Amino acid sequence: MMTYLCALLLAVVAMTNAFSVERPLMALHFSSRLQQTKLFSSEESVSFDSLDETLLRINFSVIQGAGIFESYANNALEAVRSYTQSFPFAAVLPVQPLTYLPIQMSDGSPALKVTFLRKKTPEKGSQDGGIVFTSRLVSEEDCDPGGLENYVLRIELQAKRIKEGQTIPKVFSEKQICLAYIKGLSETKGQELLAEGGGVVVDSVFHIWMDT
């Protein structure tokens, strides 16, 4: 009986020691994985100088009804930005690894950054260029802050190439994303989001593949 109790006690001690050793090892393994993974944050700031060619430019407009201009303008601009942030970029290029997250430009304005990814090597980082979508009011300086009836509000959206990290041109990926973005504006979800901004409509579209 004593022999059985001793054996049982030794087994319990061994299990306790094993558990106390295993937990730190698991924590160490998890933390090392976190250190190897680059986390993208909406607090990331991008300089206009890091951007290259304009791939896409869309001009929107909306006729203002009664009300304070500032509130109406923010509503319309937010509708365009909501469409951009909700657009399913990954679905356009299912075989191209990418991330798309809201960021802040160096002037403080919000934007959305699409980052193309590749396998990281000692010579190259994991980022392989990308696209930044920005939008702004282009007629704000001409308005009366007290509110105007039938004032045409204009919004400009631009998609610019990120030249940093791009070693091989991503022309195909850039084209597919921009054309899908344009097409989505005429589809149900795009129309609904623009309508929420007071009836925002597309005035003109330019992209670098128009002549191809």
Side-chain angles (χ1 to χ4, degrees), residues 48-76:
F48 286 96
D49 294 335
S50 66
L51 305 179
D52 198 6
E53 184 177 9
T54 299
L55 305 174
L56 171 67
R57 181 185 296 110
I58 302 177
N59 291 315
F60 300 88
S61 68
V62 58
I63 297 178
Q64 183 190 356
I68 302 302
F69 176 84
E70 183 178 358
S71 175
Y72 202 84
N74 289 339
N75 222 24

Side-chain angles (χ1 to χ4, degrees), residues 58 60 83 87 179-194 200-202 205:
I58 302 177
F60 300 88
Y83 171 76
F87 188 80
L179 295 184
Y181 183 95
I182 296 168
K183 182 181 178 183
L185 290 168
S186 62
E187 296 176 347
T188 303
K189 184 175 181 180
Q191 289 291 297
E192 289 176 351
L193 287 171
L194 294 183
V200 179
V201 296
V202 176
V205 176

